Amino acid sequence: MNTPTEIDSLLQGFPVVVVQPVQWGEQDAFGHVNNTVYFRWYESSRIAYAQKVGLMELHQTERIGPILASVSTDYRRQITFPDTVHIGARVSRIGRASFSMEHKIFSRSQLALAAEGTSTLVVFNYKTNKPHAMPDAVRRAIENLEGRSLSSD
Ligand SMILES: CC(C)(COP(=O)(O)OP(=O)(O)OC[C@H]1O[C@@H](n2cnc3c(N)ncnc32)[C@H](O)[C@@H]1OP(=O)(O)O)[C@@H](O)C(=O)NCCC(=O)NCCSC(=O)c1cc(O)c2ccccc2c1O
């Protein structure tokens, strides 16, 4: 029996996990979830992560927030309706203004890794339209969430 608990253990080390039901309309003519949907799922996990470390609030108050610089994925399994996906996000690196995230998507019905990817976000000043140095408070919040220090490179 595939249980959410088993998937939770597969996603150990991912401090943010978003759980979403697969929608019928996310499938394409070939009967599987279309490749573009995986990027939406990654995005949901990035947003949840940014909310947890105060980056969404910072955007509301200071107009300093994340912007997506790059994203990539490897597809490991097809996903079909009905299913539920568990999308993990963790930060693996913090630079001066940028930080890197790793993502994993697990299929609950297959109890298997369906995709894994990486993304780079840049802290961005939406007033000047320029990158902004990672604020210390956000760096600390990320390190607290990850349970380790993430040195600059
Ligand atoms: C991405 C840019 C802001 C970079 O600007 P610029 O080239 O001027 O930056 P620098 O050369 O000074 O570098 C700063 C910093 O960024 C790193 N970097 C730059 N480009 C890349 C890249 N392609 N890949 C990886 N890393 C990159 C560089 O190494 C530096 O790192 P340091 O740590 O050393 O400082 C600029 O190119 C730009 O504005 N691009 C357009 C971005 C865009 O339009 N993205 C799509 C819309 S945003 C979006 O969709 C989005 C998605 C989400 O999932 C979000 C989640 C949560 C919140 C918001 C989200 C969001 O807005």
Side-chain angles (χ1 to χ4, degrees), residues 50-87:
Q51 279 173 329
K52 273 191 187 276
V53 298
L55 270 169
M56 302 305 270
E57 194 183 333
L58 193 63
H59 181 251
Q60 278 189 327
T61 55
E62 309 282 336
R63 295 190 62 203
I64 290 167
I67 197 165
L68 185 64
S70 73
V71 58
S72 69
T73 191
D74 288 309
Y75 300 98
R76 304 295 185 198
R77 298 262 182 135
Q78 296 178 78
I79 293 180
T80 56
F81 175 90
D83 199 350
T84 297
V85 287
H86 295 236
I87 313 142

Side-chain angles (χ1 to χ4, degrees), residues 42-43 46-47 50 56 66-70 93-99 120-122 124 126 130-131 153:
Y42 289 152
E43 180 167 73
R46 280 194 300 268
I47 298 284
M56 302 305 270
I67 197 165
L68 185 64
S70 73
R93 179 197 65 91
I94 303 177
R96 194 195 81 84
S98 69
F99 59 105
T120 303
L121 291 125
V122 175
F124 195 71
Y126 283 87
K130 287 192 166 46
D153 50 12

